[in-house]
Amino acid sequence: MRVNKLTIAALAVAAGLSLTACQNDDDAAGQNDSPTTSSSPSSSSKDGSSPGSSGGSGGSGGSGSSDSSGQGTAEDATGESPGQEQSATGTCRTDELEVTAQDNTIGGDEENTVAVTFTNGGGRDCTLAGFAGVDLETNAGTVSAERTGEPAPATVLKDGKSVSFFISYPANDTGGSGVRVTGLVVTPPNETKSVTLDWPGAASLPVTDGSGTPVKVGPIGSAGQGG
């Protein structure tokens, strides 16, 4: 009887162990069958970017430029960014300009003035910046005008439009014949080709002591702008 009891006890223990093992296997199988998620490094590239994203300095896929926020750069109605109009026009050339001069002296002024006008006839917009070169031809030689100290901003001269600058000079009130002016030579800014015109101002300049030129030239636009 003792032998039978031991045998029954041993079988019971073995059955219990077998049941526990089966339960563990079932639990493991249940875990393997459930959906899995992972945040392991295999889901991103080595440099930290997600798979499929371009690295380095690759170009944009769009046809327009964009800023760092991904939005396109602003353009005006002509397709140019604001402020590009001046940079898009070239310098006005002498052959594109009609140059005229007229007396602009007003009674009571301390000095006499002549207004020189550039009219754009080149078929394109162009830029004039700074001061024109001005020389007065006289019976005593050439008198070159000296620039005034005024600001000289660039001017975009539309095709067919005009802009003027002034020449100032002292009146000859000495009672003598003075220096007789025979012609006016004008060179547009940033150009080397000159235009010679008849002098429309007073017939003569006062004789100076040679300490400096009495003739002054203002910047482009200093005598107003025509239509």
Side-chain angles (χ1 to χ4, degrees), residues 28-102:
Q31 292 177 353
N32 291 335
D33 291 341
S34 62
T36 60
T37 58
S38 173
S39 60
S40 65
S42 62
S43 65
S44 61
S45 62
K46 292 182 180 180
D47 62 0
S49 60
S50 60
S53 64
S54 60
S57 57
S60 168
S63 60
S65 60
S66 62
D67 57 19
S68 59
S69 65
Q71 298 176 345
T73 56
E75 292 182 345
D76 61 19
T78 63
E80 296 178 342
S81 297
Q84 285 187 336
E85 181 183 17
Q86 180 175 317
S87 62
T89 61
T91 299
C92 296
R93 301 302 179 189
T94 303
D95 291 339
E96 297 176 306
L97 299 171
E98 178 186 354
V99 187
T100 57
Q102 64 181 24

Side-chain angles (χ1 to χ4, degrees), residues 18-203:
S18 176
L19 180 60
T20 300
C22 290
Q23 291 174 344
N24 289 339
D25 290 341
D26 290 340
D27 292 340
Q31 292 177 353
N32 291 335
D33 291 341
S34 62
T36 60
T37 58
S38 173
S39 60
S40 65
S42 62
S43 65
S44 61
S45 62
K46 292 182 180 180
D47 62 0
S49 60
S50 60
S53 64
S54 60
S57 57
S60 168
S63 60
S65 60
S66 62
D67 57 19
S68 59
S69 65
Q71 298 176 345
T73 56
E75 292 182 345
D76 61 19
T78 63
E80 296 178 342
S81 297
Q84 285 187 336
E85 181 183 17
Q86 180 175 317
S87 62
T89 61
T91 299
C92 296
R93 301 302 179 189
T94 303
D95 291 339
E96 297 176 306
L97 299 171
E98 178 186 354
V99 187
T100 57
Q102 64 181 24
D103 184 23
N104 200 42
T105 302
I106 300 175
D109 287 351
E110 293 183 2
E111 292 188 318
N112 294 342
T113 58
V114 165
V116 178
T117 300
F118 291 133
T119 300
N120 183 3
R124 68 180 181 99
D125 298 348
C126 59
T127 301
L128 288 170
F131 293 79
V134 171
D135 296 299
L136 271 58
E137 296 178 335
T138 76
N139 61 340
T142 299
V143 177
S144 296
E146 185 177 277
R147 297 175 181 180
T148 64
E150 297 176 78
T155 298
V156 175
L157 188 59
K158 300 289 187 180
D159 182 38
K161 299 298 183 179
S162 301
V163 66
S164 303
F165 66 91
F166 72 84
I167 302 169
S168 64
Y169 61 99
N172 182 14
D173 297 327
T174 62
S177 60
V179 177
R180 186 166 54 87
V181 182
T182 59
L184 169 64
V185 181
V186 177
T187 308
N190 302 307
E191 274 287 85
T192 56
K193 186 175 182 179
S194 302
V195 175
T196 300
L197 305 171
D198 292 333
W199 173 246

